[in-house]
């Protein structure tokens, strides 16, 4: 110190408050998730108190769909930032008739900074099923008569 030539310089106590990070991942969709339009949906994952180690190298296999309908998978991903990624869904049209209320995505700790073990789960989303009620109408193309 320039002004003190001997002894110690005393100061008042300084309190340092800690901040405990609680990693979270929020899942949103560009529109409602329904059986008829699932193949056209894009999902966004936003991280809070967390970040991807290297978001430019993320691939679809870094994400796991939990409780998806049969035939639903991740077609591609678009890394946006170290805290945001977009996933395009792929759906082959396999019929399902029960709504899904616990659809979410897990991310392994190997691609995350704060989460050091296991996986980080996103928030849940609903997928609305379409219950088909098939019916048929028979219409003659000409007058029907009895053959004699």
């Amino acid at each position: 110190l320039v002004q003190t030539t001997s002894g110690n310089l005393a100061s008042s106590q300084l309190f340092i408050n800690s901040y405990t990070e609680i990693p979270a991942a929020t899942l949103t969709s560009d529109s409602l998730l329904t059986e008829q339009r699932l193949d056209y949906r894009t999902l966004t994952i936003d991280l809070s108190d967390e970040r991807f180690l290297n978001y430019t190298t993320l691939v679809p296999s870094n994400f796991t769909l939990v409780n998806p309908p049969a035939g639903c998978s991740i077609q591609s991903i678009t890394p946006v930032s170290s805290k945001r990624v977009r996933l395009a869904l792929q759906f082959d049209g396999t019929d399902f008739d029960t709504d899904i209320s616990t659809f979410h995505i897990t991310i392994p700790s190997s691609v995350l900074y704060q989460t050091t073990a296991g996986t980080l789960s996103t928030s849940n989303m609903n997928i609305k099923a379409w219950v088909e009620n098939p019916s048929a109408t028979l219409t003659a193309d000409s007058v029907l008569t009895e053959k004699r």
Side-chain angles (χ1 to χ4, degrees):
L1 296 170
V2 177
Q3 300 298 326
T4 302
T5 57
S6 66
N8 295 324
L9 179 64
S11 68
S12 61
Q13 289 185 335
L14 176 64
F15 292 101
I16 300 174
N17 293 321
S18 67
Y19 176 77
T20 304
E21 294 86 357
I22 302 173
T26 304
L27 182 64
T28 56
S29 178
D30 61 340
S31 185
L32 293 175
L33 298 179
T34 63
E35 181 179 349
Q36 303 99 313
R37 302 285 298 165
L38 202 52
D39 193 42
Y40 303 97
R41 297 287 55 96
T42 299
L43 304 177
T44 300
I45 298 174
D46 286 304
L47 301 177
S48 59
D49 286 345
E50 182 60 279
R51 64 181 168 93
F52 293 107
L53 287 173
N54 187 352
Y55 72 95
T56 61
T57 62
L58 293 172
V59 293
S61 62
N62 293 136
F63 303 88
T64 302
L65 301 180
V66 180
N67 298 327
C72 185
S73 60
I74 299 170
Q75 180 177 1
S76 63
I77 67 162
T78 304
V80 178
S81 71
S82 63
K83 293 181 163 280
R84 175 177 282 183
V85 66
R86 288 196 178 96
L87 297 85
L89 293 180
Q90 180 174 326
F91 182 58
D92 65 7
T94 300
D95 184 44
F96 63 98
D97 293 329
T98 304
D99 292 350
I100 299 170
S101 61
T102 57
F103 171 71
H104 63 279
I105 297 174
T106 58
I107 310 163
S109 61
S110 60
V111 299
L112 297 170
Y113 182 76
Q114 284 291 107
T115 305
T116 57
T119 60
L120 178 63
S121 294
T122 67
S123 53
N124 286 332
M125 291 199 74
N126 295 321
I127 302 177
K128 187 82 173 146
W130 175 258
V131 180
E132 299 82 2
N133 293 312
S135 64
T137 303
L138 180 63
T139 306
D141 60 352
S142 64
V143 176
L144 297 176
T145 59
E146 184 178 342
K147 186 175 181 180
R148 294 185 184 213

